[in-house]
Amino acid sequence: MTLLDGKQTSLDIQAEIAEKVEQLTAKGFKRPHLAAILVGNDGASQTYVGSKVKACERVGFESTLITLDGETTEEQLLAEVEKLNTNDEIDGFIVQLPLPKHIDDQKVIEAVNPLKDVDGFHPSNVGKMALNLPCFLPATPYGILQLLERYKVETSGKHCVVIGRSHIVGSPMSILMGRNAYPGNCTVTLTHSRTKDLPALTREADILVVALGRAEFVTADMVKEGAVVIDVGITRVPDETKKRGYRIAGDVLFDEVAAKSSFITPVPGGVGPMTIASLIMNTLLAAEGKSALNG
Ligand code: GUN
């Protein structure tokens, strides 16, 4: 079993980007600038956005964090988005999800200038991704592709089963793994809450991507011997023995599934850090005025 070390791979990518930033600034170009909007005080979102801002500092980017209180109206948020759209200093920006219930996520996503949409959530980028055209790929799927590529995991002709059809992970992952590209060229099965006999399908998976957000859902009996297992889950499970009162669990019961896997991502230290690396890669591309085909 080989551990797909997202923490190290993410640091490797960030070191490569830091070098590119130095080259750019030496030539007189400005530093890439990422902005993030955080609405409300969800603990997990604060942690994620904090990690994104820290990564910007590490690679020599400028960063701007805009924090808005939970009472912010949709109209006020849309006005902030428009300010970033038209601010030439900002190369790319994200609006951290989830947003408070009174705000329509989709309306906000559609308000972002697709050329600054480093999350790859705008319908224009999603459509281009489906057509295999240059675009910003969403950070989590892009991070998983990077991990598969850097560990030279064979994907062509494999059966990839994805659990979860979220717009952020499962749905784009299913599109990307079916593309005529590397990583890709898989036969893909996208499963969700209405899927019948899920274990029968997961047992057929050469590559299993688990993104449903239920702690330790996938057990060894659901996994084929030698499978590649990608765990996207990050759930805070209450744990009195921990100082902060919780532990972080993935969607996969790690120890018993790892024993059957050829490659597996740990949680934490697998997909999570790769998401950060992808966002940084997309921001560099935005600053260079390109968007990635990533194929
Ligand atoms: N919430 C969970 N994942 C993401 C992400 O990749 N981008 C944003 N903006 N919000 C998220």
Side-chain angles (χ1 to χ4, degrees), residues 37 45 48 52 94-98 119 121 138-140 168-169 275:
I37 302 179
S45 290
Y48 300 149
K52 291 169 185 180
I94 64 162
V95 181
Q96 187 65 26
L97 303 177
D119 256 334
F121 291 167
T140 304
I168 295 180
V169 188
T275 298

Side-chain angles (χ1 to χ4, degrees), residues 28-252:
F29 290 101
K30 76 171 196 61
R31 294 179 183 278
H33 192 158
L34 174 73
I37 302 179
L38 176 63
V39 187
N41 46 17
D42 176 72
S45 290
Q46 284 170 335
T47 306
Y48 300 149
V49 172
S51 305
K52 291 169 185 180
V53 169
K54 241 184 252 157
C56 284
E57 285 166 13
R58 209 177 295 130
V59 300
F61 286 7
E62 301 283 344
S63 64
T64 298
L65 174 59
I66 298 159
T67 52
L68 304 172
D69 68 54
E71 309 303 311
T72 302
T73 65
E74 186 176 280
E75 200 182 358
Q76 286 167 331
L77 177 56
L78 290 170
E80 288 296 330
V81 166
E82 193 48 31
K83 271 195 229 162
L84 294 177
N85 280 341
T86 52
N87 181 346
D88 288 340
E89 290 298 311
I90 304 293
D91 297 300
F93 67 97
I94 64 162
V95 181
Q96 187 65 26
L97 303 177
L99 290 167
K101 295 232 175 327
H102 64 275
I103 298 178
D104 179 350
D105 290 12
Q106 198 55 32
K107 204 163 167 186
V108 174
I109 287 167
E110 290 184 27
V112 174
N113 177 349
L115 298 173
K116 293 190 177 189
D117 171 36
V118 286
D119 256 334
F121 291 167
H122 190 281
S124 158
N125 281 314
V126 178
K128 286 178 178 175
M129 173 184 68
L131 294 168
N132 224 356
L133 295 170
C135 65
F136 293 116
L137 294 182
T140 304
Y142 189 14
I144 295 169
L145 295 187
Q146 287 292 318
L147 210 46
L148 293 172
E149 189 174 346
R150 285 180 180 240
Y151 278 86
K152 300 186 168 57
V153 174
E154 184 57 66
T155 60
S156 181
K158 305 290 184 191
H159 183 193
C160 177
V161 175
V162 180
I163 308 180
R165 59 180 158 186
S166 75
H167 292 168
I168 295 180
V169 188
S171 170
M173 203 57 213
S174 68
I175 293 168
L176 291 164
M177 292 304 276
R179 294 187 308 170
N180 183 4
Y182 175 75
N185 278 315
C186 286
T187 304
V188 179
T189 302
L190 179 61
T191 70
H192 44 75
S193 54
R194 305 288 177 95
T195 295
K196 295 211 170 85
D197 199 358
L198 179 66
L201 290 166
T202 59
R203 278 194 286 270
E204 292 296 315
D206 302 308
I207 300 171
L208 181 61
V209 180
V210 193
L212 81 163
R214 272 174 63 179
E216 294 161 352
F217 175 83
V218 171
T219 46
D221 58 306
M222 295 170 71
V223 177
K224 180 160 90 174
E225 196 70 46
V228 177
V229 179
I230 307 293
D231 186 352
V232 186
I234 309 181
T235 304
R236 292 181 175 190
V237 178
D239 185 342
E240 298 290 310
T241 68
K242 302 276 185 240
K243 220 161 67 189
R244 54 191 178 181
Y246 63 86
R247 67 184 172 90
I248 298 291
D251 286 354
V252 173

